[in-house]
């Protein structure tokens, strides 16, 4: 039998059938209102159920899709389920999720202006809108990268490069952040071989005074301060304005890690918490978190994008056509080269629904967090660990140990009731609701509390 090399690309009856199958499945899944929460199976069980799927001759689209629908997908937790309240959930709008198909179907390349000008233009309009919301100047700009971890790393690399350009030559480079900062800051520091100065505080809020003291102690070696605009554990927003005073006084780069929380700057209810963001040198926010876009997308914005470009542009003979122009090529602004224009699902959704509904959806999640916090405070046997600022509610069931939380969480998922994983603070295990899905209701949350009786 010949291999028929063009079989995968030519438009044949087989191709039509494959495309129809896949679009039909996607159509059903996108419009489904009763996809179960689902749960992971053990690897051995998946091997047994799925069998060998990668073979020399292929198993055919119908069989492969059937396996996906009936074996593989049910072994993936439904992240857009309103009862998914762990980590930071994802709740893509229907328009954003549907448009993700278009990005793939169109084989768009988002790395260079030459190849993807139209897509990059639309992504840049979204970045411009975000920059305006954050109060950044007209020249601000950046790129959508894979996630907050890569966004933080890329911003910090640009910050160190800028410090080098200014002549700083310490024996050891340092980055200052809160002890509550996300683990991706420590990860970036490891990759960059720099030291993290993690500043503790009693209430988890990093303030200007503490930053000033750290900058004085490590004078001449700090290339960036990271302010967290919504910590992952509690949704705490640092004192960004105070920190901006300290970084300005010392001429140090201010980076805002708003991967989770900066979206709440769109809400009139919480906008003031973020005062000072407009003074940042770089910011990130993840659309795959609270901006209702599908995985995976982080918006990275520089006050002066040229600093990002100088730090990140890759040079090679075959790329000279791209890099010897002044074109805006997204590849140049982060630690990456090939990229899909992952900002487009957010662009389409914003263009479809308008920004107003985003503000409302974010505000209603914050309202719900406050409501359930009130319920927890009033419920005997429960202790609210701290009042929420954004959409994260952390609480303890009095008398429970870690094993109780673990058992309860596993049963909750086993029963397909909800997905709530335990967390911990100051050595004490707790339960944590991360609320952002507009379909999550107070009834869902109180129903979960009832299971902790
Ligand atoms: C504050 C904060 N920063 C960074 C990240 C990392 O983002 P990602 O998971 O997209 O890499 C997260 C993820 O939860 C986060 O909450």
């Amino acid at each position: 039998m010949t291999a028929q090399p063009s079989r995968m690309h030519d438009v044949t009856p087989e191709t039509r059938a494959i495309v129809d199958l896949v679009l039909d499945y996607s159509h059903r899944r996108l419009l489904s209102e009763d996809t179960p929460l689902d749960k992971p199976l053990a690897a051995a069980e998946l091997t047994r159920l799925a069998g060998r799927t990668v073979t020399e001759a292929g198993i055919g689209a119908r069989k492969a899709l059937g396996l996906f629908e009936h074996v593989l997908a049910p072994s993936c937790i439904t992240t857009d389920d309103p009862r998914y309240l762990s980590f930071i959930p994802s709740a893509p709008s229907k328009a954003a999720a549907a448009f993700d198909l278009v990005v793939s179907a169109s084989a768009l390349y988002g790395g260079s202006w030459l190849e993807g000008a139209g897509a990059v233009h639309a992504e840049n309009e979204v970045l411009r809108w975000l920059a305006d919301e954050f109060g950044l100047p007209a020249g601000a700009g950046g790129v959508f990268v894979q996630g907050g971890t890569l966004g933080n790393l890329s911003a910090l690399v640009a910050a160190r490069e800028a410090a080098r350009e200014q002549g700083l030559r310490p024996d050891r480079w340092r980055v200052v952040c809160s002890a509550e900062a996300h683990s991706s800051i420590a990860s970036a520091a490891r990759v960059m071989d720099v030291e993290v100065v993690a500043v503790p505080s009693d209430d988890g809020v990093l303030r200007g005074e503490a930053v000033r003291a750290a900058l004085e102690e490590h004078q001449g070696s700090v290339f960036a301060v990271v302010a967290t605009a919504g910590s992952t554990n509690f949704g705490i927003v640092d004192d960004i304005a105070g920190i901006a005073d300290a970084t300005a006084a010392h001429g140090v780069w201010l980076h805002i890690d708003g991967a989770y929380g900066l979206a709440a700057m769109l809400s009139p209810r919480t906008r003031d918490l973020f005062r000072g963001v407009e003074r940042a040198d770089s910011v990130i926010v993840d659309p795959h978190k609270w901006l209702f876009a599908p995985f995976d997308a982080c918006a990275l914005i520089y006050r002066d994008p040229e600093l990002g470009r100088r730090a990140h542009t890759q040079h090679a003979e075959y790329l000279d056509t791209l890099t010897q122009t002044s074109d805006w090529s997204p590849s140049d602004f982060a630690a990456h080269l090939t990229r899909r224009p992952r900002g487009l699902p957010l662009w389409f959704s914003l263009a479809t629904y308008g920004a107003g509904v985003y503000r409302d959806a974010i505000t209603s999640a914050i309202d719900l967090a406050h409501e359930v916090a009130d319920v927890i405070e009033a419920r005997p046997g429960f202790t609210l660990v701290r009042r929420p600022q954004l959409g994260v509610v952390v609480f303890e069931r009095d008398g429970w140990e870690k094993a109780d939380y673990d058992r309860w969480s596993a049963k909750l998922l086993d029963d397909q009731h909800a997905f709530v994983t335990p967390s911990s603070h100051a050595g004490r295990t707790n339960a944590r609701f991360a609320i952002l899905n507009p379909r999550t209701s107070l009834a869902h949350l109180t129903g979960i509390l009832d299971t902790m009786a």
Side-chain angles (χ1 to χ4, degrees), residues 31 34 68 85 99 106 139 168 192-193 204 286 321 360 439-440:
L31 300 181
D34 57 1
F68 177 76
L85 298 155
F99 201 77
S106 312
L168 214 61
M192 296 169 70
D193 190 22
D286 278 359
T321 308
D360 292 350
R439 292 169 59 227
T440 303

Side-chain angles (χ1 to χ4, degrees), residues 88 147-149 152 182 184 228 230 232 257 259-260 284 286 288-289:
I88 302 290
T149 299
N152 282 332
H182 187 262
S184 54
T228 306
T232 323
D257 177 1
Y260 155 59
I284 64 156
D286 278 359
H288 65 221
K289 295 188 167 74

Side-chain angles (χ1 to χ4, degrees), residues 370-384 387 449:
H370 283 268
E371 267 180 88
V372 76
D374 292 343
V375 169
I376 290 166
E377 273 184 325
R379 227 179 227 233
F382 286 77
T383 302
L384 187 69
R387 287 295 308 174
L449 296 177

